[in-house]
Structure formats: C-alpha cells, structure tokens
C-alpha cells in the first residue's frame, strides 16, 4: 500500500501528422508520481500534453516510450481499470436516459455486484447532489448537472483512483464551488484524485500537489504550499514598531526596541506562478 497511486517514468508520445507524416511530440520524457490519498493537480495550457498523458495512463492511447503503473499494477489492465474512475473533458451521455439509469448502467459495466447495485447508485447520486434530479432525462440537464452526473458515473463503483479532466468546464462559479467540495469529500474518504483544470484558483484551494506541463515537458512539481512560497523573499512581522524604529529597520531593529515575532515567505498565486512558467501553447 506504500506504492504511488500513479507512477510515470520517462513517458513519451509522438503523433504522426499531415500527409508527410511529420512527428509531433505531445509528451516529452515525463516522469512524475501521484501519492495515494491526495488531490493532484495536472496543469498546463491547451496543447501541452496533459490530456494525452491522462489518456495514456487510462490505456486509451498507446505510449511511444515509458513505463506506467496504477495502484502498484500494470496500467491498462482490466484490474487497473476496475479500480479507476474517469470523467473525460467533454463527456457524452444518451439524452433519453435518466440520470439514475445512466449511473446504474455504468455501475453494471464497472462490475458492481447485483446485490450492491442499488446502494452504490444512490450513494453516488447523494455524493454528487443529484438525487433530486436523478429521475429526469439527461437531455433536460444544465451544464453543471451534466458534470455532476458525469462525476457520479465515475465513482459509482467506488474506485480508489478518480481522474477528472476539466470537471468544471462550462460550469458557473456556484457549480464549480460545489464540485470542489465533492472532490474534497472524496479525498476525505481516502480516494486519490487527479484533477486537470484551467481554474487555477480552485486548484490552489483543493489540491495537495500540482504539476505544471508546458510543450510536453514537466516544468514544475511539488506541494502547493512549497511551490507557491517565494523563498527569495521574506516577510518580517514586528511588534511595537515606533516611527524611529521603522526608519532604521534595515540597519538595526533591535536598537530601537522592536521585536521580530516571525519571518515567513510570501506567497504568490498559482495563476502568477503558472504565467511565469508557461511560455505558451501550440494553439496560441
């Protein structure tokens, strides 16, 4: 149980594009580990390779090179998939099904035992706040409701690992906050969540660790608190600071009776850090 939820070693993915078959490197020698029981943010501009990375981890796309394991097992196996839940960036659900019918259908596909089916469906609907609307056709759902029912189908089989690709895409601020609370609730239940999102404020609030990709490469990875601290700068909090002590602070605070009570590192926002690291995407 000490192994990482996801381990990626030297992952590379090349695509052949155009009539001449020119090589496009979408993921370039990527190495990272996602610890168990945490919310892990995978960030980057459009075209940076993050969605390709997730699809390779899930076994939907074949890697050109590299090694991957999920929950200590070889990726893309039936057992690894059974222990994983996935919400794609742009899910499509049959509009004639009700929300409950969709979640029940996905539960059966995921191997939930018939004796546990009803309970699993209702628990997933309750966690995603979709119980009240579960009897309505999916074609009548708002964008936020579609994302929440998508989240319900991703977790109905009680997976240990949940991968969410842009779960708040097109969702209003209220819905985004609600989805953020659901992610935190899943973490409190011991699940590992990989979150791919452009809402950096939300990522900063809910994630334990973040990785930032740009042009297929990993440019930064670490705990949120660590990567956002400005280690090259310091904040000094002073007690009883008189005007005279303030004027002479840089020379000798102690000589004027001021007391330094703490020295900390100021934080930048995740959005500021992202802008510093990312040089632009292919789309730009």
């Amino acid at each position: 149980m000490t192994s990482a939820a996801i381990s990626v070693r030297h992952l590379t993915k090349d695509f052949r594009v155009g009539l001449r078959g020119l090589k496009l490197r979408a993921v370039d020698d990527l190495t990272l580990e996602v610890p168990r029981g945490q919310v892990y943010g995978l960030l980057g501009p459009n075209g940076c390779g993050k969605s390709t990375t997730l699809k390779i981890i899930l076994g939907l796309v074949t890697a050109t090179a590299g090694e991957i394991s999920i929950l200590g097992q070889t990726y893309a196996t039936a057992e690894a998939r059974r222990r994983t839940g996935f919400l794609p960036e742009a899910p499509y659900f049959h509009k004639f099904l009700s929300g409950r019918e969709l979640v029940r259908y996905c539960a059966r596909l995921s191997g939930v035992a018939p004796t546990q089916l009803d309970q699993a469906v209702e628990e997933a609907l309750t966690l995603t706040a979709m119980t009240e609307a579960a009897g309505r056709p999916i074609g009548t759902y708002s964008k936020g409701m579609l994302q929440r029912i998508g989240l319900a189908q991703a977790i109905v089989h009680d997976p240990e690992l949940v991968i969410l690709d842009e779960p708040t895409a097109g969702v209003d601020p209220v819905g985004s906050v609600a989805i953020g609370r659901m992610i935190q609730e899943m973490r409190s239940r011991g699940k590992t969540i990989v979150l791919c999102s452009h809402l950096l404020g939300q990522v900063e609030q809910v994630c334990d660790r973040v990785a930032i990709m740009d042009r297929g490469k990993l440019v930064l990875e670490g705990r949120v608190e660590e990567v956002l601290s400005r280690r090259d700068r310091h904040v000094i909090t002073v007690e009883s600071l008189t005007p005279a002590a303030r004027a002479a602070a840089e020379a000798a605070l102690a000589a004027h009776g001021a007391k330094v009570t703490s020295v900390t590192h100021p934080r930048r926002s995740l959005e500021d850090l992202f802008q510093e690291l990312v040089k632009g995407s292919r789309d730009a």
Side-chain angles (χ1 to χ4, degrees):
M1 292 300 292
T2 58
S3 61
I6 298 175
S7 179
V8 176
R9 292 283 181 269
H10 305 294
L11 178 64
T12 298
K13 176 60 180 177
D14 294 328
F15 289 101
R16 297 291 177 178
V17 297
L19 297 177
R20 298 173 60 187
L22 298 177
K23 183 173 71 175
L24 172 65
R25 178 148 292 180
V27 182
D28 190 357
D29 195 31
L30 176 67
T31 296
L32 58 81
E33 283 196 351
V34 178
R36 293 183 186 236
Q38 295 189 7
V39 181
Y40 193 94
L42 184 59
L43 313 177
N46 292 332
C48 74
K50 58 185 186 298
S51 290
T52 299
T53 298
L54 295 183
K55 290 175 182 178
I56 294 172
I57 291 171
L58 290 162
L60 303 176
V61 173
T62 303
T64 302
E67 299 178 356
I68 304 170
S69 66
I70 295 179
L71 301 168
Q73 298 181 327
T74 304
Y75 82 111
T77 62
E79 178 61 18
R81 286 172 172 159
R82 187 187 66 79
R83 300 167 68 187
T84 304
F86 177 49
L87 175 62
E89 180 178 1
Y92 176 82
F93 305 125
H94 296 297
K95 296 180 180 180
F96 60 86
L97 293 176
S98 70
R100 181 173 283 105
E101 288 171 337
L102 170 70
V103 176
R104 188 179 183 88
Y105 172 66
C106 292
R108 294 180 65 183
L109 286 178
S110 300
V112 177
T115 56
Q116 301 174 348
L117 194 59
D118 291 338
Q119 180 181 351
V121 170
E122 295 309 315
E123 286 182 354
L125 292 172
T126 299
L127 178 60
T128 56
M130 284 299 294
T131 303
E132 184 176 345
R136 288 170 45 188
I138 291 175
T140 67
Y141 284 1
S142 67
K143 178 61 175 177
M145 295 168 72
L146 284 172
Q147 293 298 94
R148 297 208 307 275
I149 204 66
L151 184 57
Q153 64 81 29
I155 63 173
V156 67
H157 58 299
D158 194 27
E160 299 171 52
L161 171 65
V162 182
I163 298 177
L164 307 176
D165 193 359
E166 299 292 348
T168 54
V171 179
D172 63 37
V174 174
S176 295
V177 171
I179 291 174
R181 287 197 297 265
M182 295 169 196
I183 292 171
Q184 291 174 323
E185 173 63 21
M186 287 190 289
R187 175 178 55 190
S188 71
R189 299 185 181 191
K191 300 187 185 302
T192 304
I193 300 97
V194 177
L195 173 63
C196 187
S197 176
H198 286 120
L199 297 182
L200 301 184
Q202 183 186 59
V203 170
E204 186 174 346
Q205 291 175 359
V206 304
C207 289
D208 300 290
R209 299 183 71 89
V210 293
I212 297 179
M213 295 179 63
D214 190 28
R215 300 180 184 272
K217 291 182 174 290
L218 181 69
V219 295
L220 179 141
E221 197 277 343
R223 291 190 60 83
V224 171
E225 290 297 326
E226 294 173 354
V227 302
L228 296 183
S229 294
R230 298 298 301 263
R231 297 292 174 177
D232 57 335
R233 301 180 188 178
H234 297 80
V235 174
I236 300 177
T237 304
V238 181
E239 277 185 3
S240 306
L241 185 63
T242 66
R246 183 171 182 175
E250 292 185 2
L253 280 171
H256 294 272
K259 180 182 178 183
V260 178
T261 59
S262 67
V263 178
T264 60
H265 298 285
R267 272 173 54 109
R268 74 197 102 184
S269 70
L270 185 57
E271 186 168 356
D272 289 340
L273 176 64
F274 186 85
Q275 294 291 345
E276 289 177 19
L277 294 173
V278 172
K279 298 177 177 62
S281 69
R282 297 183 184 90
D283 291 347

